[in-house]
Amino acid sequence: MEKKTTPIAKVDDLVIHYETRDGVVEAVNGVSFEILPADTFGLVGETGAGKTTIALAMMGLLPYPPTHIIRGKVEIDGEDIAKKSKNDMRAIRGKKVSMIFQDPMTALNPVVGIGDQIAEVILLHERCTKEEAQKKALDMLQMVGIRPERYKDYPHQLSGGMKQRVVIAIALACNPELLIADEPTTALDVTIQAQVLDMIKDLRDRFGTALMLITHDLGIVADICNKCAVVYAGEIVEIGTVEDIFDRPQHPYTLGLFASIPSLDKDVERLQPVKGQIIDPTDLPPYCSFCDRCDRCTEQCRAADPKLVEVSPGHFVKCIFARKEAD
Amino acid sequence: MLRYILKRLLWLIPVMVGVITIVFAITVLTPGDPAASLLDRNATQEQIDEVHHRLGLDKPVLERWFNYVVGVFTRFDFGTSYTTMQPVRDEVLAKLPYTLILAVVSVSLAVLIGIPLGVWSALKQYTITDGSVLFLSVLFVSMPNFWLSMLLISLLSVSLGLLPSFFVNGDWTGWIMPIVVATIGSMAQFIRITRSSMLEVMRQDYIRTARAKGQKEDVIVMHHMMRNAMIPVATSIGSGLGNALGGNMTVEIVFSLPGIGSYIVNAISTRNYPGMLGGILVTAIMFTVVNLLVDIAYVIIDPRLKSQITGKKASKRKLNQMLREQGVTV
């Protein structure tokens, strides 16, 4: 096991609800995890599982209203962010924790030059003059592989992949301790996905930044993460090291996700999807929320909501069928 | 850019010819005779013919149209007023300052009050502030100018005797009520457009990006939201100014402000065709120029439009430069 250090980010029993016209959306229901300085933590789940909500909560960027943090807390560097003032939070965002958003097409301000958008975050967090910030922004541009003469270009003059590079440059400009990447490659072309991912990996290693990667692509998780959590209906159903999850998965949902991945060496007619639809988050049952889609579901599953069970050190599964690993 | 402006100004020529043609067609198609309004009812046919001859109305329409167009473009001659026998150009130019002052002052005031109110209202969406600003703007938008003018006159002039009910040269207090009335209508328009445009921009991802940088909320509003939200507002300011330059007729008439609006209305009622034509032409020119200014403002606000205006030549230059950098000879 790696040596214990204080976590950069700790999410503790977080419960978040949205109030909508159709009722209360229970987006996040008691999620806990922590990210250590050397971690690359993958958060995997279907669309609507609550992954982005968790990330926004960690940034203190949940839109309020309609979001309400019902219970639990987020700690950054050991301090509860709910107790921070607005100014203190601004000092954390972009400096200690920064975020790459899903859609690079809309994440940049269309009327501000890309270089100045990078310089903006530097100017906010570092004691420097405008010229120094612009110079550093120029360096960041080159670091993400964009030629310096494009400093004055506007977002519409860039391709999708280049825009995402700019977003990454903004996120890394102040050398954050934790980088949250919310599906950084989903909106991109497959060939560009690999480039962007390699770049994130490379920069993570160079800056020594902890990374939280939100994705629904298990391949990406296997590629760059050391820990990961599988999220279903706002709950972590399985969490552990990448080896735990990929080599010894136990939760039926995790197993279902693996079964739905196409394999190179097997020739199958149809892929095996996880059957059914993701459960309606305005109407969660008091028992295991995966019941309706689970092949192994029994009477006992519908009796009570299972707890996370530690099946081996650091590997937790939220299922009544979870068994201690033999070794 | 300069090429673009010149090109747009050249468009003034077909616009003016078009306006002249339409107004000529209207004068031909509408019943009534200018001579009848110049002479008394018992005038003999000879007298009428004599007036027709003097005004040039005995010539065929096409010839009159052609002469007028040539006069406008070669001598800047807008014809001679039937009623005063003075050059229309001089008369219109004498009226122009009143309309200009009324339009520019009222639209500026409307912008200065309306945009901040719209922004404020959007930032406080769903609160009482937002509701009351929205209520007032709907109220003002739906209130016709002439009615508001009469309400103000009956309150401020008749009941309280504070302000004069009509404009007299040399007395600046006569400006107050016309400006207030003209301001309120366009201000309400700006509030509504600014508010809805801000609400649209506030939800954009790049605002979240700015927050994720740790940017201060007031900088986000001023720098990130406003610049994007101003694009549709610029259109509205342009059309507001255009309307004010040509169309504050009701205000000008109610307060007897001697501007172009009331000049055109007078010309119509006395069948003073050249006066009417001259007034409308000047209005059309101003409208075109204001629209050009709005389009230039767009380019300053929104870089995405720049390439459209700087045109093909510039992009070709850029391409050549890029190719040279790559070592390709062109």
Side-chain angles (χ1 to χ4, degrees):
Chain A
M1 290 235 79
E2 72 259 285
K3 62 173 192 272
K4 264 280 187 230
T5 35
T6 46
I8 292 173
K10 188 174 167 198
V11 174
D12 189 19
D13 193 26
L14 194 62
V15 178
I16 301 170
H17 290 179
Y18 288 97
E19 265 171 46
T20 68
R21 226 169 276 172
D22 304 326
V24 175
V25 176
E26 300 173 36
V28 178
N29 306 303
V31 164
S32 306
F33 59 85
E34 46 180 61
I35 299 174
L36 299 177
D39 276 349
T40 298
F41 180 70
L43 209 54
V44 193
E46 270 169 287
T47 305
K51 304 181 301 273
T52 303
T53 308
I54 296 172
L56 288 176
M58 291 170 72
M59 293 288 286
L61 280 180
L62 284 173
Y64 172 86
T67 337
H68 299 275
I69 296 183
I70 304 293
R71 199 172 73 217
K73 61 181 178 184
V74 175
E75 285 180 4
I76 300 291
D77 264 349
E79 292 176 68
D80 185 355
I81 64 168
K83 296 199 179 100
K84 296 248 172 205
S85 71
K86 272 188 180 163
N87 277 335
D88 290 344
M89 264 326 282
R90 284 202 296 102
I92 289 175
R93 280 200 290 270
K95 174 71 188 156
K96 274 190 179 169
V97 187
S98 64
M99 187 160 172
I100 301 173
F101 294 101
Q102 186 168 356
D103 189 357
M105 299 301 169
T106 55
L108 295 171
N109 189 334
V111 303
V112 181
I114 55 166
D116 285 338
Q117 296 197 44
I118 303 175
E120 183 184 4
V121 67
I122 300 168
L123 212 53
L124 274 170
H125 296 291
E126 270 158 43
R127 288 162 165 266
C128 63
T129 63
K130 205 169 174 193
E131 284 72 37
E132 286 163 347
Q134 284 174 336
K135 205 189 157 300
K136 178 137 193 243
L138 213 56
D139 294 341
M140 286 308 298
L141 263 189
Q142 280 174 286
M143 199 171 301
V144 295
I146 296 177
R147 285 187 304 171
E149 57 265 36
R150 308 208 63 166
Y151 184 95
K152 286 214 158 97
D153 277 9
Y154 291 95
H156 72 280
Q157 291 166 300
L158 269 56
S159 70
M162 286 169 95
K163 276 185 219 172
Q164 192 63 306
R165 285 157 190 268
V166 174
V167 172
I168 292 170
I170 291 173
L172 288 175
C174 293
N175 201 357
E177 291 167 33
L178 173 64
L179 175 65
I180 301 174
D182 183 7
E183 309 210 16
T185 58
T186 307
L188 300 176
D189 209 277
V190 184
T191 46
I192 309 297
Q193 284 187 3
Q195 280 182 25
V196 167
L197 214 60
D198 281 343
M199 199 179 67
I200 292 178
K201 234 159 73 173
D202 176 48
L203 293 172
R204 170 199 65 185
D205 297 339
R206 209 177 328 165
F207 287 96
T209 308
L211 180 64
M212 177 167 128
L213 186 72
I214 297 173
T215 180
H216 48 243
D217 188 337
L218 285 164
I220 295 178
V221 174
D223 189 19
I224 69 175
C225 296
N226 66 329
K227 280 188 196 165
C228 93
V230 179
V231 186
Y232 183 80
E235 289 173 310
I236 289 181
V237 293
E238 185 157 9
I239 183 169
T241 65
V242 167
E243 292 76 26
D244 288 334
I245 305 288
F246 280 71
D247 300 340
R248 299 175 292 278
Q250 287 214 15
H251 195 278
Y253 182 58
T254 318
L255 294 167
L257 287 181
F258 281 117
S260 64
I261 300 176
S263 160
L264 276 179
D265 41 83
K266 269 179 255 156
D267 197 16
V268 285
E269 282 284 305
R270 294 179 73 104
L271 295 172
Q272 272 293 321
V274 181
K275 68 168 188 185
Q277 294 283 317
I278 192 162
I279 193 164
D280 178 8
T282 58
D283 187 22
L284 293 182
Y287 47 86
C288 173
S289 55
F290 191 60
C291 269
D292 295 338
R293 303 175 69 181
C294 186
D295 292 328
R296 301 171 65 182
C297 179
T298 62
E299 280 297 307
Q300 206 190 338
C301 293
R302 293 182 191 274
D305 200 23
K307 296 257 176 306
L308 274 171
V309 181
E310 189 163 24
V311 293
S312 67
H315 183 190
F316 294 84
V317 180
K318 184 174 177 289
C319 179
I320 56 162
F321 294 109
R323 290 290 167 264
K324 286 264 182 228
E325 279 169 23
D327 57 325
Chain B
M1 191 69 179
L2 207 68
R3 245 176 84 98
Y4 173 79
I5 295 173
L6 278 176
K7 211 161 82 184
R8 285 286 302 265
L9 286 177
L10 276 180
W11 265 104
L12 264 176
I13 297 170
V15 166
M16 284 166 73
V17 173
V19 168
I20 295 170
T21 312
I22 292 170
V23 177
F24 256 87
I26 293 171
T27 59
V28 172
L29 293 172
T30 41
D33 184 351
S37 58
L38 288 174
L39 299 166
D40 57 50
R41 202 178 297 183
N42 317 322
T44 62
Q45 186 59 40
E46 274 170 22
Q47 284 175 304
I48 291 174
D49 286 345
E50 196 269 328
V51 170
H52 276 172
H53 181 72
R54 184 159 52 89
L55 300 179
L57 285 168
D58 51 349
K59 292 183 188 135
V61 182
L62 274 179
E63 193 185 332
R64 279 191 279 142
W65 174 84
F66 183 77
N67 287 339
Y68 192 87
V69 172
V70 169
V72 166
F73 288 109
T74 56
R75 286 169 274 128
F76 200 55
D77 177 7
F78 285 30
T80 306
S81 165
Y82 290 171
T83 43
T84 58
M85 297 316 280
Q86 296 296 313
V88 169
R89 180 190 56 203
D90 299 347
E91 287 194 344
V92 170
L93 286 180
K95 308 278 182 191
L96 192 57
Y98 297 97
T99 298
L100 272 181
I101 291 174
L102 180 62
V104 172
V105 172
S106 68
V107 172
S108 311
L109 279 177
V111 165
L112 290 176
I113 304 168
I115 291 180
L117 272 182
V119 171
W120 190 41
S121 167
L123 293 176
K124 306 245 171 215
Q125 199 191 3
Y126 301 136
T127 62
I128 295 173
T129 315
D130 179 35
S132 30
V133 170
L134 205 59
F135 172 76
L136 279 181
S137 68
V138 171
L139 187 74
F140 287 145
V141 157
S142 23
M143 203 148 41
N145 269 352
F146 71 89
W147 187 64
L148 184 62
S149 310
M150 291 190 316
L151 278 185
L152 282 179
I153 288 174
S154 73
L155 176 71
L156 296 175
S157 308
V158 180
S159 306
L160 300 172
L162 289 174
L163 292 169
S165 67
F166 56 89
F167 177 83
V168 184
N169 248 330
D171 179 13
W172 65 270
T173 50
W175 279 108
I176 295 176
M177 275 199 286
I179 285 175
V180 167
V181 172
T183 302
I184 278 180
S186 38
M187 180 188 77
Q189 202 69 35
F190 298 157
I191 291 177
R192 287 159 57 81
I193 301 233
T194 309
R195 178 180 178 273
S196 63
S197 171
M198 277 294 285
L199 287 177
E200 172 87 26
V201 169
M202 279 160 64
R203 278 192 276 273
Q204 296 294 319
D205 283 354
Y206 51 81
I207 300 304
R208 194 176 57 183
T209 307
R211 294 215 172 91
K213 287 175 181 175
Q215 186 56 277
K216 295 186 200 76
E217 201 57 29
D218 51 333
V219 179
I220 291 177
V221 171
M222 294 306 291
H223 186 70
H224 290 283
M225 291 184 187
M226 287 283 274
R227 269 193 76 183
N228 283 287
M230 279 310 106
I231 297 164
V233 179
T235 320
S236 159
I237 294 175
S239 62
L241 191 59
N243 284 336
L245 285 170
N248 269 329
M249 290 185 191
T250 44
V251 179
E252 287 181 8
I253 289 166
V254 173
F255 294 102
S256 15
L257 198 70
I260 289 185
S262 52
Y263 181 75
I264 294 174
V265 173
N266 275 333
I268 292 172
S269 56
T270 54
R271 313 239 171 252
N272 175 7
Y273 296 152
M276 181 171 130
L277 202 44
I280 293 174
L281 267 183
V282 169
T283 308
I285 293 171
M286 288 193 297
F287 211 99
T288 314
V289 172
V290 167
N291 267 318
L292 175 61
L293 291 178
V294 168
D295 286 350
I296 293 171
Y298 274 160
V299 178
I300 296 168
I301 304 173
D302 189 348
R304 283 167 293 189
L305 296 171
K306 203 176 222 153
S307 49
Q308 283 175 26
I309 283 184
T310 46
K312 286 182 187 125
K313 244 187 170 167
S315 54
K316 204 174 169 192
R317 235 187 349 256
K318 219 172 174 181
L319 182 72
N320 285 342
Q321 189 198 339
M322 233 169 69
L323 288 173
R324 262 196 305 279
E325 278 169 22
Q326 305 278 324
V328 182
T329 43
V330 278

